[in-house]
Amino acid sequence: MYGPMLEGRGDFTEWRDAARAALAANIPPGKIDWRLQDDGFGLLDFSGAPLPTEGAAPVSVSAAFVALAQAVICHSDPGRFALLYRLLWRLKRDRALLQFKSDPDVSDVRLLEKSVRRDYHKMTAFVRFKELPLPQGQGGRRRFVAWFEPDHFIIERTAPFFQRRFTDMDWLIVSPKGSARWDGNLLQTSREAAAKPDLKDETDDLWRTYYANIFNPARLKIKAMTAEMPKKYWKNLPEAELIPDLILGAEARVLEMAAKEASQPKPFHHRLQAAASAREEQSTLPDGTLASLAHEARHCTRCALHCKATQTVFGDGPENAKIMVVGEQPGDHEDLAGKPFVGPAGQLFDRTLREIGVDRGGLYVTNAVKHFKYETRGKRRIHQRPNAGEVEQCRWWLNQEIALVQPKLIVAMGATALYALTGGKEKVSEIRGRPLPMQEGRTLFVTVHPSYLLRLPDEQAKEMEIKKFKQDMLYVRNFE
């Protein structure tokens, strides 16, 4: 039995050298008893016995295994040495072993690696430095100390992050599993356990103030919060002492926030509406015209979409246009500009028309739904497809536009436009490119919406679909 003795505090080199020697001597995993110095010696100790050299061969492993082992060695599980050697032994026969995630050894080692990575992440997030006073009468760089309690032996692994992040100050991080020091010139680490210092400074109050102000009771999810900030770290975080009271008062604060919620739209919304109103008031509009219909639509409240949209986006084009193009709804760009088809999809539409020699100014372009429907993600407004009820409510405006423009050809771009015009739920692909008769001698022509072309991930498929879309527009150009 071969029994290598290891310090076992995150030093990859000591395990690598022992494993390399054992592997070169062709010692199977079951014949090795990995030991830690802190555990003392067993009844029989063969760690000093010379390794057999018969059959020794050079040892080489992939860079992926080395990186994996360097992380796993930092884990506190005493079985990590045997697990890594078992994988190393098996890799001699199966170089692709690490790709089989269902393998028990591979699964176990990946879990250990994930735990080390998580511990690394938590250390970078939850270390809190305390400033030390400079010796009286001496100047120099500011000095800081921090205490952290990691689950694993990650101090050496994480120290370079703090060196890069706080290179302009002297600091010391101490923990039960080692320490790291930076003096502006040299990064030093130790694997010796350290005692917790008793330090406080004025930044504790700053952390409390910061956390109290960013805490959003309306988004409180205790399970998710404790997953990201586990309770075991709270005792060393000055802001954590506020958490119980903040959770306890969350419901009351939500009600208070609701009572104080702004009753006016956002400033940019207000400015756009004010500018639109000012333009409208400059002249008196005659009834029975597109201008008067558009003026009326600006104040539409037929469905809830008007609540979040910046403004109504009405149709645009000549009142006697022979061809009417109907899309789905305005997007983010259209909502701000107040005109249809000016965003990325509209730009693709315009480019296609120019390539086939069609003047967009001769078309009447509108949408089935006149308000932008979206959901907010961060600072972005992401398009949401209008539902059947919203399309039904907005159909009244579309019918009025058709009655005033009296087009000979109506082009429905996409399923929403088709549903608004016919009430049917046919697939666009089934009737695309075929002229269909409508009431009052009109013709309906169905094609895809340009936004569909922009969403295609495959460039070859996108190019083919754009060519088909161009063919559809050629029919529109040649319509008599």
Side-chain angles (χ1 to χ4, degrees):
M1 179 70 74
Y2 174 48
M5 188 69 64
L6 305 179
E7 182 184 22
R9 297 183 69 85
D11 183 3
F12 171 71
T13 304
E14 63 170 359
W15 175 85
R16 181 199 62 193
D17 292 345
R20 179 181 289 168
L23 195 66
N26 206 32
I27 301 178
K31 296 295 184 180
I32 302 181
D33 181 16
W34 298 94
R35 302 163 181 237
L36 296 176
Q37 293 175 2
D38 293 343
D39 296 340
F41 294 92
L43 295 175
L44 296 175
D45 175 32
F46 297 95
S47 59
L51 290 173
T53 57
E54 184 178 353
V59 180
S60 71
V61 293
S62 66
F65 177 79
V66 173
L68 179 67
Q70 287 173 336
V72 172
I73 283 298
C74 298
H75 203 282
S76 55
D77 186 345
R80 63 194 183 278
F81 309 110
L83 173 60
L84 285 171
Y85 185 76
R86 192 159 60 248
L87 278 172
L88 186 61
W89 179 267
R90 295 176 61 194
L91 281 167
K92 290 196 306 180
R93 295 167 176 79
D94 185 0
R95 302 286 290 182
L97 176 62
L98 294 180
Q99 299 178 21
F100 298 97
K101 296 181 181 180
S102 60
D103 182 89
D105 286 341
V106 175
S107 176
D108 289 346
V109 82
R110 292 296 184 189
L111 287 175
L112 297 186
E113 179 199 27
K114 181 178 179 180
S115 181
V116 170
R117 284 192 284 109
R118 178 176 173 82
D119 208 27
Y120 176 101
H121 169 71
K122 296 306 179 188
M123 181 171 177
T124 61
F126 296 139
V127 161
R128 297 289 184 264
F129 284 106
K130 315 286 185 181
E131 187 166 9
L132 297 173
L134 292 172
Q136 190 171 5
Q138 294 186 18
R141 287 157 54 97
R142 299 169 69 186
R143 305 182 305 160
F144 296 81
V145 65
W147 169 258
F148 187 72
E149 299 178 24
D151 292 332
H152 309 301
F153 300 99
I154 60 166
I155 298 298
E156 289 186 34
R157 189 175 179 85
T158 318
F161 166 85
F162 289 97
Q163 177 191 354
R164 295 189 300 270
R165 186 76 178 270
F166 303 107
T167 189
D168 61 337
M169 70 186 199
D170 295 346
W171 52 259
L172 170 67
I173 301 175
V174 290
S175 83
K177 289 183 166 59
S179 60
R181 179 190 300 272
W182 169 250
D183 63 4
N185 296 305
L186 181 64
L187 178 63
Q188 297 175 299
T189 59
S190 169
R191 299 185 190 121
E192 296 296 324
K196 182 178 180 179
D198 184 17
L199 291 172
K200 293 183 179 180
D201 69 5
E202 60 186 14
T203 60
D204 288 354
D205 289 334
L206 292 176
W207 276 110
R208 295 186 190 99
T209 302
Y210 169 74
Y211 191 78
N213 281 277
I214 66 168
F215 182 83
N216 187 345
R219 293 188 175 183
L220 176 61
K221 295 182 180 178
I222 297 176
K223 187 175 181 180
M225 182 186 72
T226 53
E228 289 300 315
M229 185 190 285
K231 289 186 177 181
K232 64 184 177 183
Y233 298 113
W234 290 13
K235 59 185 176 182
N236 297 317
L237 301 175
E239 67 270 27
E241 65 186 49
L242 303 177
I243 293 177
D245 288 339
L246 290 172
I247 293 175
L248 188 63
E251 184 176 356
R253 287 189 61 193
V254 169
L255 295 174
E256 182 183 355
M257 289 166 61
K260 294 180 178 180
E261 185 177 7
S263 58
Q264 297 297 321
K266 294 180 179 180
F268 78 89
H269 184 134
H270 179 74
R271 290 196 299 270
L272 288 171
Q273 294 284 23
S277 298
R279 289 194 299 269
E280 293 166 3
E281 292 170 0
Q282 292 176 0
S283 61
T284 302
L285 300 172
D287 293 336
T289 63
L290 282 175
S292 63
L293 188 65
H295 175 82
E296 185 181 352
R298 292 186 185 278
H299 309 287
C300 176
T301 58
R302 298 174 71 90
C303 71
L305 294 185
H306 76 279
C307 298
K308 292 176 63 178
T310 304
Q311 56 191 316
T312 303
V313 180
F314 207 68
D316 182 51
E319 193 156 344
N320 60 348
K322 183 175 70 172
I323 300 171
M324 174 183 286
V325 178
V326 182
E328 180 191 76
Q329 68 158 349
D332 182 73
H333 290 78
E334 290 80 5
D335 177 67
L336 296 175
K339 291 188 176 182
F341 281 80
V342 295
Q347 292 167 18
L348 175 57
F349 177 60
D350 289 349
R351 186 165 63 250
T352 303
L353 293 180
R354 287 195 300 271
E355 290 174 357
I356 63 174
V358 174
D359 178 15
R360 173 172 165 170
L363 308 179
Y364 185 83
V365 182
T366 189
N367 282 298
V369 174
K370 310 303 185 190
H371 286 114
F372 180 31
K373 182 179 182 180
Y374 63 91
E375 64 176 348
T376 304
R377 296 181 191 170
K379 294 183 178 181
R380 298 180 62 199
R381 301 191 300 172
I382 307 300
H383 164 276
Q384 281 188 308
R385 186 175 180 175
N387 60 41
E390 291 156 351
V391 175
E392 293 279 358
Q393 291 296 331
C394 224
R395 182 178 288 146
W396 187 88
W397 296 108
L398 181 60
N399 288 338
Q400 295 299 310
E401 288 177 291
I402 294 173
L404 288 172
V405 176
Q406 291 291 312
K408 299 297 182 183
L409 174 69
I410 300 180
V411 181
M413 296 205 297
T416 300
L418 178 61
Y419 175 71
L421 289 163
T422 67
K425 296 185 178 180
E426 299 89 347
K427 291 184 178 179
V428 170
S429 58
E430 294 177 352
I431 56 176
R432 178 181 181 179
R434 289 193 289 116
L436 304 172
M438 297 183 72
Q439 294 179 350
E440 300 184 24
R442 296 190 186 95
T443 300
L444 175 65
F445 186 80
V446 182
T447 185
V448 296
H449 196 284
S451 62
Y452 160 74
L453 306 175
L454 296 175
R455 292 194 300 267
L456 291 172
D458 182 80
E459 289 300 322
Q460 187 175 2
K462 180 184 292 187
E463 185 177 348
M464 291 179 60
E465 284 296 326
I466 289 177
K467 287 182 179 178
K468 290 176 64 177
F469 181 69
K470 187 181 294 186
Q471 289 296 320
D472 291 343
M473 292 299 102
L474 283 171
Y475 172 87
V476 173
R477 184 192 70 178
N478 298 328
F479 178 79
E480 296 295 339

